[in-house]
Amino acid sequence: MCGIIGLVGHDDAVPAVLDGLGNLEYRGYDSAGVAMRNGHGLEVAKRAGEISDLAADLTDALPEGELCIGHTRWSTHGAPTDANAHPHTDCTGKIAVVHNGIVENHAELRRGLETRGHEFDSDTDTEVIPHLVEEHLEETGDVGAAFRRTLAELEGSYAIAMVVADGSSIHVARQGSPLVIGLGDGRSFVASDVPAFLEHTDRVIYLEDGDVAEISAGGYRIATADGEPADRPVRTVDWAPEDARKEGYDHYMLKEINEQPDAIRRTLHGRLSTDPVEVDLDLDDRLDGVERVHLVACGTSYHASLYGAHLLSRYGTDAGAWLASEYPGRMPTIEEGTLVVGVTQSGETADTLSALRHAADSGARTMAVTNVLGSTAARECDEALFIRAGPEIGVAASKTFSSQVVTLTLLAGHFAARTGGIGPELAELLTALPALPGQVETVLAGTPAEGIARRYHDQRAHFFIGRGTAHPVALEGALKFKEISYEHAEGFPAGELKHGPLALVTEETPVVAIFTGRDDEKTLGNVREVRARGAPVIAVASERTSVGAEADEILSVPETHPDLQGLLANVQLQLLAYHVSDLLDRAIDKPRHLAKSVTVE
């Protein structure tokens, strides 16, 4: 949700900040802007539209200076207009602020400021911040003190970066929205996410809720909200700069689909041996006594959780998956032995964090399954299990789904090993995992998805069906399809078609049927039901099965363990969604109204 970047200590800060904004555009792209101290005051440039539009405006006369903050917006308060773009300034134009999150008491604060003579230029909640700082600066004469007093008046969530006309540092604060400091050679960065400055440094500090920091060219100072010094560890991220670039692909999403073999290899590395079959998640006995697992997640991570819950249950651990936004309101009773696992790519998803905190307050042990070292979920939970997928820039998640499911499969192995032992059935599944990356490569090398997309991209609706682990894959396939193509798509359990959705099936409703080798005959019965009503059928199935005889099209995948077949099918569905969206000329990496890391509830 929105992207922040700031840089101090670079002779030519604006181009570097614009590049960083480009790296963060997956977090929001309704509008963009920069504020820079140019030696004579603050210069602000902002506009509605994409970052490339802002950069084009600045091409002929890039401001010069060594201190700059920038922002790319995903609208929450106020339409995506020039006036509502960040940065926002005070009445004097000497204070500029960029902000992610929501100031929940902004209306009350605004009324008070207007009563005291302040004039506002936007409809945003953010604009109250620089005006409050202006007042407190007049009272105290100290920028740091004015900033802290302002923070004390704000209710809600925020990540804030602020510069003043006569200052040489960036003032930042975090409460409920991610913010990370990057330490370079003679220069310092602050950003919402590491890819913003990854090409410049891999040394980072993840700020925690309540942290207030001042960043200068020579370093940083971090304190708590009440001014007490805070010590936060400096970490080294293991992502390479090219991981956050397109590297010749037309879209980040296509690049990340193709990165799945390597992502799965990283997920497995050092965690699984097959002779004998052993799982090592570096958890030792810390999860001993877990009797049931609640997986909480949103969007794609929820579908991975449904898949994982199915495997955990099949192999001996009582498990279920819940939508994180619904979990606190309908949470089952937390009994002794309950582990609540938040599955979140970013580790910052607001609904998932809320569910985890609610569970912890109710006495549950918690674990984060996440992609980001140092994220809020990783820090707050009792345990953290990293999926190691590498940075994912495309808004539509792809490689993280595969890595999440593989991680949860290993977790099923861990629990089995700590209780009754890894039995023959689970051993067969775990032994099949090392071949999965190569099988994904086979899918990527020989997929007919583009041709099928050409034949079916202009239909009225697309339905996806499956049973068992194929059900969450059907949901995920439909989600990918709708979020990047903007075309209607729905996923159903195959057996539920006849209980309502069949009424919507016509000859203009392609049905994508996913086969895993389990209950295929039942799914074939559902295929025959839709064919009898004129619907074309696209089957996703093993290359060795005969289900293709019942289908109009076949997306084949290599033969593997039935519980992994869905992961290979999912790659085909990602490619189908991608090619349909490309044919329709959609903004694949930046689908309308969506952003990557949803840090508001």
Side-chain angles (χ1 to χ4, degrees):
M1 288 298 191
C2 304
I4 287 172
I5 181 170
L7 168 59
V8 56
H10 194 293
D11 291 338
D12 201 6
V14 175
V17 166
L18 289 173
D19 287 344
L21 286 177
N23 294 338
L24 289 176
E25 201 164 15
Y26 60 92
R27 298 183 64 92
Y29 32 86
D30 293 339
S31 59
V34 296
M36 201 213 70
R37 190 174 65 83
N38 60 15
H40 307 289
L42 287 180
E43 187 169 350
V44 174
K46 60 181 185 174
R47 59 161 294 165
E50 298 187 358
I51 292 161
S52 58
D53 300 323
L54 174 68
D57 287 350
L58 294 171
T59 297
D60 294 334
L62 281 177
E64 295 181 358
E66 63 174 17
L67 191 155
C68 182
I69 57 174
H71 189 268
T72 179
R73 183 171 183 248
W74 186 83
S75 303
T76 52
H77 285 77
T81 63
D82 290 356
N84 288 336
H86 296 214
H88 292 287
T89 56
D90 68 321
C91 292
T92 69
K94 295 180 179 180
I95 301 165
V97 166
V98 293
H99 161 238
N100 296 346
I102 295 176
V103 180
E104 294 174 356
N105 60 334
H106 72 99
E108 174 189 347
L109 293 171
R110 183 170 181 147
R111 285 193 297 270
L113 287 161
E114 288 176 331
T115 299
R116 297 191 294 274
H118 290 263
E119 296 182 359
F120 287 77
D121 298 319
S122 78
D123 301 319
T124 69
D125 56 332
T126 301
E127 198 178 357
V128 301
I129 299 172
H131 288 278
L132 288 170
V133 174
E134 177 191 354
E135 285 194 342
H136 293 308
L137 187 56
E138 289 177 358
E139 298 164 3
T140 66
D142 180 89
V143 176
F147 189 50
R148 287 192 296 275
R149 288 191 182 186
T150 297
L151 297 175
E153 295 189 62
L154 305 181
E155 297 176 6
S157 64
Y158 53 75
I160 301 170
M162 179 186 77
V163 293
V164 297
D166 57 354
S168 59
S169 57
I170 303 173
H171 295 264
V172 304
R174 172 201 164 125
Q175 181 62 51
S177 195
L179 209 55
V180 58
I181 295 172
L183 303 177
D185 184 11
R187 54 187 174 175
S188 300
F189 298 82
V190 64
S192 305
D193 207 350
V194 172
F197 53 70
L198 188 57
E199 63 193 276
H200 300 288
T201 183
D202 60 359
R203 297 175 63 240
V204 303
I205 299 170
Y206 293 94
L207 295 180
E208 299 184 9
D209 280 352
D211 282 353
V212 183
E214 183 177 352
I215 302 165
S216 64
Y220 61 92
R221 292 198 302 270
I222 303 174
T224 61
D226 57 8
E228 292 297 316
D231 184 22
R232 304 292 180 234
V234 178
R235 305 177 185 271
T236 301
V237 295
D238 61 358
W239 297 346
E242 57 268 22
D243 291 340
R245 302 192 193 111
K246 289 182 184 176
E247 294 295 301
Y249 287 93
D250 290 338
H251 299 93
Y252 281 112
M253 183 181 179
L254 184 59
K255 174 177 179 273
E256 288 154 5
I257 290 171
N258 280 273
E259 287 176 340
Q260 286 177 103
D262 285 341
I264 295 170
R265 289 186 183 102
R266 287 194 298 270
T267 301
L268 291 172
H269 181 70
R271 292 172 164 176
L272 176 67
S273 58
T274 56
D275 188 18
V277 178
E278 294 180 347
V279 174
D280 182 5
L281 297 179
D282 196 26
L283 293 169
D284 300 324
D285 60 354
R286 297 197 300 278
L287 294 184
D288 285 3
V290 170
E291 298 177 4
R292 69 197 59 82
V293 174
H294 297 173
L295 298 158
V296 294
C298 306
T300 289
S301 295
Y302 172 65
H303 299 153
S305 297
L306 284 171
Y307 201 132
H310 187 97
L311 297 183
L312 283 159
S313 297
R314 175 182 288 278
Y315 297 107
T317 302
D318 182 15
W322 282 262
L323 286 165
S325 58
E326 294 294 315
Y327 187 74
R330 55 185 291 268
M331 184 178 71
T333 302
I334 296 292
E335 303 174 20
E336 186 176 354
T338 300
L339 176 70
V340 179
V341 179
V343 183
T344 160
Q345 185 281 135
S346 66
E348 303 292 350
T349 308
D351 287 324
T352 305
L353 291 173
S354 177
L356 287 166
R357 289 163 182 162
H358 192 82
D361 290 344
S362 301
R365 282 187 279 178
T366 58
M367 168 184 274
V369 172
T370 183
N371 196 33
V372 182
L373 183 74
S375 61
T376 300
R379 292 197 312 271
E380 291 189 1
C381 287
D382 298 314
E383 303 292 342
L385 192 54
F386 297 100
I387 68 171
R388 304 173 176 173
E392 188 175 65
I393 306 301
V395 168
S398 53
K399 64 179 179 177
T400 52
F401 177 88
S402 299
S403 292
Q404 286 169 339
V405 171
V406 171
T407 300
L408 293 173
T409 304
L410 294 174
L411 189 61
H414 170 84
F415 284 128
R418 302 294 300 188
T419 53
I422 295 175
E425 290 187 26
L426 180 53
E428 183 182 354
L429 167 60
L430 295 172
T431 301
L433 275 173
L436 187 62
Q439 292 163 341
V440 173
E441 289 172 343
T442 298
V443 171
L444 294 168
T447 177
E450 184 173 6
I452 293 174
R454 290 187 181 279
R455 292 190 284 278
Y456 295 98
H457 71 279
D458 58 350
Q459 302 297 289
R460 178 177 295 179
H462 296 74
F463 290 169
F464 296 73
I465 62 171
R467 292 174 182 268
T469 54
H471 170 222
V473 173
L475 296 177
E476 176 61 12
L479 176 62
K480 282 295 151 288
F481 199 97
K482 72 180 78 172
E483 68 183 342
I484 63 172
S485 76
Y486 315 154
E487 298 297 312
H488 182 69
E490 295 293 337
F492 307 103
E496 288 300 301
L497 267 178
K498 56 185 175 291
H499 297 293
L502 199 58
L504 300 174
V505 171
T506 72
E507 63 276 3
E508 295 180 278
T509 314
V511 176
V512 181
I514 302 147
F515 296 87
T516 66
R518 295 191 193 277
D519 297 319
D520 283 357
E521 283 301 320
K522 292 181 180 180
T523 304
L524 272 174
N526 304 125
V527 164
R528 294 182 184 113
E529 290 169 358
V530 300
R531 283 178 65 85
R533 289 152 180 84
V537 173
I538 303 168
V540 191
S542 162
E543 54 202 5
R544 295 185 182 178
T545 66
S546 59
V547 299
E550 300 282 352
D552 299 278
E553 308 281 356
I554 182 79
L555 286 164
S556 65
V557 297
E559 186 80 20
T560 187
H561 191 284
D563 290 334
L564 300 181
Q565 202 85 49
L567 284 176
L568 298 177
N570 186 63
V571 177
Q572 290 283 27
L573 300 186
Q574 291 171 348
L575 291 164
L576 181 65
Y578 173 83
H579 288 299
V580 166
S581 304
D582 197 33
L583 287 166
L584 296 172
D585 197 27
R586 305 304 194 210
I588 291 173
D589 287 332
K590 299 176 287 185
R592 67 188 180 196
H593 310 320
L594 301 178
K596 184 72 174 172
S597 180
V598 185
T599 57
V600 294
E601 293 183 87

